[in-house]
Amino acid sequence: MSEPRDGSGEGGAWATGNQIERDLILTDADFLRIRELIYQRAGIVLAEHKREMVYSRLARRLRHHGLTRFTDYLTRLERQPDAREWEAFTNALTTNLTAFFRETHHFPLLAEHVRHAAGPVNIWCSAASTGEEPYSIAMTLLETLGGRAANARIIATDIDTDALAKAQAGIYPQEQVRKLDEARVKRFFQKGTGSHAGLARVRPEVMAMVEFLPLNLLAPSWPVKGPFDAIFCRNIMIYFDKQTQTAILKRFAPLMKRDGLLFAGHSENFSYISNAFKLRGQTVYTLADSGR
């Protein structure tokens, strides 16, 4: 999933001497309302020091609507609980800190796990962001399973619909792709030419393995069906409070195969949150009753 955006230095403010002047009005009460609304909508806990980030990211939405006060923008949102603007509000406060084969130690573990799978492999990437993670999973399956990868299923979800649109396009700057092993680049990417120079596109056979869906982990129902051989939930739980973390892990458990793997981010620890999972290796968990 997308993580809360930083980028606090963007737009809407300029320096005059030692003072920062702003063209939009964000009061303490407004900031508190924003924190409450994003928590209710997405479970994200915004810390006090995120005020600058909130201003810079939501300022563009106010300007889009011709507003000068955050109070007016928030009032408009709250009066229309089903408005499309809620999607833009949520997208503005999430971002996409990701890369191909990020936290590389997870992928050999995934490969070893699926190599011995009895039936079709089923994987859920629950924080897909702009697609680098689910495509890395797909590449791992192609390298490991060969022809059997055609029967694999990867569901990739995220709350940020803008990020998902980029993921579905599968187009990335070449400098981002060049960081990968040369053999992987040749096998899994097409090099852009002409107007697409400087870009690389994920090959169709990789893209075909991934289904992208919008999903809010706080939603009462999820449009995904297990059981999954693996669930990737990396670098997002740190933005939730313990109550939300516990609820999500409780919902993950029945969606996993008995020996399924749950992958966490490098700074996340699920052991103290839920007794449904036990640590298997470095930020990798299995069900507590898996017998392993």
Side-chain angles (χ1 to χ4, degrees), residues 82-132:
D82 298 319
R84 288 289 300 273
E85 183 60 26
W86 279 107
E87 184 177 299
F89 171 81
T90 303
N91 289 351
L93 296 177
T94 57
T95 198
N96 317 294
L97 301 176
T98 186
F100 289 105
F101 292 93
R102 185 184 185 189
E103 301 185 41
T104 56
H105 63 282
H106 281 161
F107 296 95
L109 289 172
L110 174 66
E112 182 61 26
H113 184 66
V114 301
R115 183 175 286 114
H116 306 293
V121 173
N122 193 19
I123 296 176
W124 178 19
C125 175
S126 66
S129 188
T130 48
E132 290 89 334

Side-chain angles (χ1 to χ4, degrees), residues 54-74:
V54 166
Y55 180 95
S56 65
R57 292 297 177 177
L58 288 181
R60 67 190 66 178
R61 300 310 307 162
L62 270 71
R63 296 189 182 99
H64 174 77
H65 292 290
L67 302 173
T68 59
R69 301 194 311 164
F70 279 79
T71 297
D72 297 333
Y73 174 72
L74 297 173

Side-chain angles (χ1 to χ4, degrees), residues 210-282:
V210 186
E211 179 183 2
F212 291 98
L213 296 171
L215 183 145
N216 183 345
L217 288 172
L218 265 65
S221 62
W222 293 339
V224 297
K225 293 183 179 180
F228 293 103
D229 294 89
I231 295 178
F232 280 70
C233 184
R234 307 193 304 174
N235 304 303
I236 185 58
M237 294 285 251
I238 54 173
Y239 296 100
F240 298 146
D241 59 18
K242 187 174 180 180
Q243 179 181 353
T244 303
Q245 293 171 347
T246 302
I248 291 172
L249 289 174
K250 185 177 181 180
R251 295 175 69 182
F252 278 161
L255 292 175
M256 297 183 66
K257 293 183 180 179
R258 191 167 182 268
D259 64 344
L261 301 181
L262 175 63
F263 292 91
H266 67 278
S267 61
E268 296 169 321
N269 184 344
F270 296 165
S271 297
Y272 78 99
I273 300 171
S274 170
N275 58 11
F277 294 92
K278 62 183 179 181
L279 186 65
R280 174 182 168 181
Q282 186 180 357

Side-chain angles (χ1 to χ4, degrees), residues 177-238:
V177 174
R178 287 194 195 103
K179 299 175 184 178
L180 300 177
D181 177 85
E182 185 177 351
R184 277 180 171 156
V185 175
K186 290 182 177 180
R187 180 176 179 184
F188 298 124
F189 293 88
Q190 297 170 320
K191 185 178 180 179
T193 60
S195 61
H196 298 293
L199 299 173
R201 183 173 186 173
V202 178
R203 288 190 179 275
E205 59 267 31
V206 181
M207 298 178 69
M209 295 179 64
V210 186
E211 179 183 2
F212 291 98
L213 296 171
L215 183 145
N216 183 345
L217 288 172
L218 265 65
S221 62
W222 293 339
V224 297
K225 293 183 179 180
F228 293 103
D229 294 89
I231 295 178
F232 280 70
C233 184
R234 307 193 304 174
N235 304 303
I236 185 58
M237 294 285 251
I238 54 173

